[in-house]
Amino acid sequence: MNLKKVFILLPDGIGLRNFVYTSFAKIGIENNWDITYWNDMPFDFSELGLKEEKLLGKASGLTNLYKRARKEIELENFEKEFNDSIYRKYRFKPTSKTLKQKVKNILVAYYIRRYGGKNLNKLRKKIKESERKTEYFKSCIKTLKKHKPAFVFSTNQRPVNAIAPILAAQDLGIPTATFIFSWDNLPKATMVIETDYYFVWSSHMKQELLTYYPYVKEDKIFITGTPQFEPHFENEFLLSKNEFLSQNKLPKDVDFVCFSGDDVTTSPHDPQYLEASALAIRDLNLRGHKLRILFRRCPVDFSNRFDSVLETYNDVIFDVAPKWKKIGSVWNTIMPLQADIVQLVNTIYYSSLVINVGSSMVFDYVCYDKPCAYINYNPSEIPNKKDIHTIYKYVHFRSMPSKEVVIWLSNSNTIADQLEQLLINKDQTVSKAKEWFEIINHHPPASASNRIWEQINNLV
């Protein structure tokens, strides 16, 4: 039997969770695909019985500056086109501590002036011209000529080092596609690569793609859902309760709620929210409950900002740290380990609900018919670094079918009472959260990988 060869482009570690640690590869192999992971990470695919080819080289420094300018221009354009100031909130002041950083920032500002507004298409062309001049691009051409894949599928649309491999494939006549990897990506102007086809989570995301990137044609977009939630429907990841408690040194004969942390940029006040949650749990325990907090920090947060809270409230907070490995200094060089799928699944399975600031964990929990509480107040005891109400104005929260998709914790003094009611009536938000999940991700969620392979097969 002749196998169809496909290259799965992994420009960073983010795609491991969706396309390596799930059943994605297994399903592809069962459907007679010869899969090679084309990757830019120090990760040994042979340990999982998978083939790999290393990306050799790196993107041009000039391309990276163009990329930064493109994002700023797109956000400016979105703000003007939709008359909506929220797009300004997606822009962050660049670091300018060193002379090199200052020079780069000056160049980016120049490119914004030169290619802003209606000149954006010229910058898109410049990005491609810049990458085609690199040795990295030439090495990608060489690799593709050697292996002759029938399709190149990128697991992520935003890394600059994905541009050259995609361009190389297109120049050789090999069809390409990219997966939009997160539910909030498109309004934030994170599109870096331009492929022949686009795979999205839902009809909602398809409409976003058409809205923000009108050069993408509707018949080039395929609704597949995301493999991100598939492990919740596969029993192989579940541990016995005793095994989970033992592995994480957790107490027996108690019930758990999960506090899921955000990154420091999104939620700089997470330590204060964790402390407020701990005080609420202490209060509930005085009322006769037997509760503890499972604290799962944001996987890309390796800071020490929670240390004092964890120490002070070690009677009620237990750290169930994500199993990720830090291999670089920026967030997209932090790599999930396969063991983290098990850690995540069991943290959810053995906790009653989740507390967080605007996280997609609401969807992970609703896979188990469990509720979510969103924190929605600014701490009063410290200077405010970021208004939490801004977070819930972000475009991706406008997809909520109603405010009843979660419980809103709008005052630290009422957290205990609200959690108690949620523990008594867990179903009060679940049905609405399910409606939201169906808007965000194509259902059934357990079949996303199958749908992706079906579309790839149809395209080839």
Side-chain angles (χ1 to χ4, degrees):
M1 180 181 295
N2 291 326
L3 299 180
K4 299 161 286 187
K5 184 174 287 190
V6 62
F7 264 33
I8 307 298
L9 177 61
L10 278 167
D12 59 23
I14 298 299
L16 287 170
R17 178 179 173 182
N18 286 338
F19 297 101
V20 179
Y21 297 152
T22 62
S23 298
F24 177 79
K26 178 183 176 183
I27 292 169
I29 292 168
E30 289 173 351
N31 283 276
N32 301 317
W33 282 97
D34 179 0
I35 301 170
T36 297
Y37 284 91
W38 202 11
N39 87 93
D40 199 24
M41 299 169 296
F43 182 86
D44 188 0
F45 283 83
S46 65
E47 292 182 358
L48 300 177
L50 301 171
K51 294 194 297 185
E52 70 169 321
E53 188 72 26
K54 291 292 186 183
L55 286 164
L56 303 175
K58 62 180 182 179
S60 163
L62 180 60
T63 306
N64 198 52
L65 299 181
Y66 285 156
K67 169 204 165 185
R68 287 173 53 189
R70 174 179 176 172
K71 179 175 181 178
E72 294 296 313
I73 293 168
E74 287 183 345
L75 289 173
E76 284 184 2
N77 289 350
F78 295 165
E79 182 178 352
K80 291 176 182 176
E81 182 176 355
F82 306 116
N83 192 26
D84 193 338
S85 63
I86 194 61
Y87 296 100
R88 209 174 300 166
K89 302 296 184 181
Y90 295 133
R91 301 170 68 181
F92 299 99
K93 188 175 181 179
T95 304
S96 58
K97 294 180 180 179
T98 67
L99 177 61
K100 186 176 182 180
Q101 289 170 336
K102 291 176 181 177
V103 171
K104 287 182 177 180
N105 294 340
I106 290 170
L107 288 170
V108 170
Y110 167 72
Y111 297 139
I112 291 171
R113 290 194 303 271
R114 182 172 181 180
Y115 298 109
K118 296 181 180 179
N119 292 319
L120 179 59
N121 285 341
K122 293 181 181 178
L123 182 59
R124 290 170 52 207
K125 292 178 181 178
K126 282 288 185 183
I127 289 172
K128 295 174 184 177
E129 290 171 4
S130 174
E131 280 304 280
R132 284 191 172 101
K133 294 175 183 177
T134 63
E135 291 300 317
Y136 178 40
F137 172 80
K138 294 174 184 176
S139 74
C140 291
I141 289 283
K142 185 177 180 180
T143 297
L144 291 170
K145 284 183 174 180
K146 176 182 176 182
H147 290 276
K148 298 180 175 61
F151 201 82
V152 175
F153 177 76
S154 179
T155 58
N156 190 338
Q157 85 288 351
R158 54 191 292 177
V160 70
N161 62 329
I163 299 172
I166 292 298
L167 287 175
Q170 290 172 331
D171 287 359
L172 293 173
I174 301 168
T176 63
T178 189
F179 180 74
I180 309 299
F181 95 92
S182 188
W183 68 311
D184 64 348
N185 275 187
L186 293 173
K188 292 160 67 175
T190 63
M191 184 78 80
V192 172
I193 60 174
E194 298 180 10
T195 50
D196 301 301
Y197 305 101
Y198 298 83
F199 289 38
V200 297
W201 289 29
S202 61
S203 58
H204 174 80
M205 187 179 281
K206 176 180 178 178
Q207 188 54 53
E208 282 189 323
L209 185 54
L210 292 170
T211 298
Y212 293 114
Y213 297 96
Y215 61 79
V216 177
K217 304 303 180 185
E218 186 172 3
D219 62 353
K220 305 300 182 183
I221 305 172
F222 299 98
I223 301 168
T224 60
T226 174
Q228 178 174 323
F229 303 105
E230 288 181 346
H232 300 316
F233 303 94
E234 298 174 5
N235 292 332
E236 65 182 275
F237 296 110
L238 275 180
L239 304 174
S240 69
K241 187 169 186 179
N242 284 338
E243 191 174 2
F244 176 66
L245 298 180
S246 176
Q247 283 187 8
N248 292 280
K249 299 179 181 178
L250 301 173
K252 297 181 179 180
D253 303 320
V254 298
D255 295 318
F256 298 105
V257 300
C258 175
F259 184 100
S260 173
D262 278 281
D263 62 89
V264 68
T265 302
T266 301
S267 184
H269 301 308
D270 254 13
Q272 287 72 40
Y273 298 138
L274 178 60
E275 180 175 30
S277 300
L279 289 169
I281 295 300
R282 280 182 176 176
D283 185 351
L284 289 171
N285 288 341
L286 290 175
R287 303 180 193 182
H289 295 272
K290 293 182 179 179
L291 295 169
R292 300 293 185 273
I293 292 174
L294 299 181
F295 171 52
R296 178 180 167 88
R297 71 179 66 226
C298 174
V300 297
D301 185 355
F302 285 81
S303 71
N304 61 0
R305 63 187 181 128
F306 297 100
D307 289 359
S308 63
V309 178
L310 294 174
E311 183 177 350
T312 303
Y313 298 93
N314 60 16
D315 57 317
V316 291
I317 304 176
F318 290 83
D319 194 357
V320 285
K323 297 183 183 296
W324 285 51
K325 183 179 180 181
K326 190 174 184 179
I327 58 173
S329 58
V330 293
W331 73 271
N332 61 354
T333 59
I334 300 172
M335 189 170 66
L337 303 177
Q338 192 168 28
D340 190 54
I341 297 290
V342 176
Q343 184 79 316
L344 174 63
V345 164
N346 287 278
T347 296
I348 298 171
Y349 190 80
Y350 291 112
S351 56
S352 299
L353 58 92
V354 64
I355 305 168
N356 60 57
V357 176
S359 165
S360 62
M361 282 285 275
V362 60
F363 305 126
D364 294 277
Y365 269 77
V366 84
C367 290
Y368 298 84
D369 294 331
K370 295 182 179 183
C372 172
Y374 274 173
I375 296 166
N376 190 33
Y377 67 90
N378 293 312
S380 58
E381 65 273 16
I382 60 170
N384 192 16
K385 297 178 181 177
K386 181 173 184 175
D387 182 3
I388 195 170
H389 302 105
T390 298
I391 294 172
Y392 298 111
K393 293 176 183 176
Y394 288 154
V395 175
H396 59 287
F397 288 111
R398 299 174 187 176
S399 59
M400 287 182 181
S402 71
K403 291 295 184 181
E404 287 72 36
V405 295
V406 297
I407 290 295
W408 297 91
L409 305 179
S410 299
N411 190 313
S412 60
N413 296 325
T414 62
I415 292 176
D417 292 338
Q418 288 182 280
L419 292 183
E420 187 169 42
Q421 289 302 310
L422 200 54
L423 289 166
I424 292 170
N425 180 15
K426 297 178 182 178
D427 296 332
Q428 61 181 293
T429 63
V430 167
S431 62
K432 291 295 183 181
K434 285 183 175 180
E435 288 181 27
W436 193 19
F437 190 27
E438 290 179 9
I439 292 171
I440 290 299
N441 185 54
H442 190 52
H443 276 49
S447 302
S449 289
N450 277 301
R451 289 191 290 265
I452 291 171
W453 281 116
E454 181 181 349
Q455 291 298 346
I456 292 175
N457 188 64
N458 291 340
L459 292 172
V460 171

